[in-house]
Amino acid sequence: MTELIKLWGSGTARTLRPIWMAEELEINYELSPIGPRTGETQTLEFTKINPKQKIPALQHGEFNLSESLAICKYLQKNFSSKNIYIPKDEKDISKEDEWCNFIYGELDETSLYVMRRHYDLKDIYGESPIVVEACRKYFIRQLDVVEHHLKSNQTIFKAGFGLADIFLMTCLDWAVFYEFSLPNNVMQFRDRIALRPAYQKAMKINYSN
């Protein structure tokens, strides 16, 4: 693939994911570090790329893509690296999909992002301590699944670090920012993954502004 990968968006857990994936895959990419509520997603240029006016987004030649999971899976499928486990067997691919959908659906969307709406963004969506507390309890309950799995696993897949770990780590960082106390196995996982050079580089890039 000769066309340059261009990524749009920085400053959030969701924009970190494709940046981190690109760094793990050692892809030559260009980043346009626009923010989620700066007005930059509403420009005509960006709306042509993503009519939903959301970040992150990807351009690859004439191909445009949005949603952090879709972008990461596209990069994973079209590039390869010894740094990251990329499943080839259909059952392993399905298991990776299962984990990523669980993490994105239950930890991110249903818990942390709903908290964000009524916690960080209460001036926009309204303050609701009841909703925030319910999200906290739900997040902890769902995290028990991860805690049990990591009791006998260093990463989500025994074969090594992969896409599901990227999604989990971004949610854990988000949770720590929201002052969650992480259980033992999950905390040890986070400490291990934080040592990865690509993670450290992606964090600096994503949050530099």
Side-chain angles (χ1 to χ4, degrees), residues 8 34-55 124-125:
W8 293 77
I34 64 174
R37 289 174 177 80
T38 59
E40 295 166 299
T41 61
Q42 298 174 19
T43 64
L44 181 60
E45 177 188 14
F46 185 76
T47 302
K48 288 180 179 179
I49 297 164
N50 183 12
K52 292 175 282 188
Q53 298 182 329
K54 299 285 188 177
I55 53 173
I124 300 173
Y125 296 104

Side-chain angles (χ1 to χ4, degrees), residues 9 25 83 139 177 180:
L25 296 171
N83 298 331
F139 181 88
F177 182 74
F180 280 90

Side-chain angles (χ1 to χ4, degrees), residues 65-123:
L65 191 63
S66 63
E67 306 299 334
S68 62
L69 180 55
I71 294 169
C72 286
K73 287 185 72 67
Y74 177 79
L75 294 177
Q76 179 193 53
K77 187 172 182 178
N78 287 281
F79 300 88
S80 62
S81 170
K82 295 179 180 179
N83 298 331
I84 188 167
Y85 169 65
I86 301 175
K88 304 297 182 185
D89 177 83
E90 190 60 39
K91 289 183 179 178
D92 286 343
I93 293 171
S94 296
K95 270 294 176 184
E96 184 177 73
D97 286 344
E98 178 186 31
W99 272 107
C100 287
N101 280 296
F102 167 73
I103 294 166
Y104 189 80
E106 305 301 333
L107 301 183
D108 179 322
E109 284 189 312
T110 306
S111 304
L112 295 168
Y113 190 71
V114 176
M115 280 186 67
R116 175 167 165 74
R117 286 189 171 213
H118 301 287
Y119 192 67
D120 290 344
L121 305 175
K122 57 188 175 185
D123 290 343

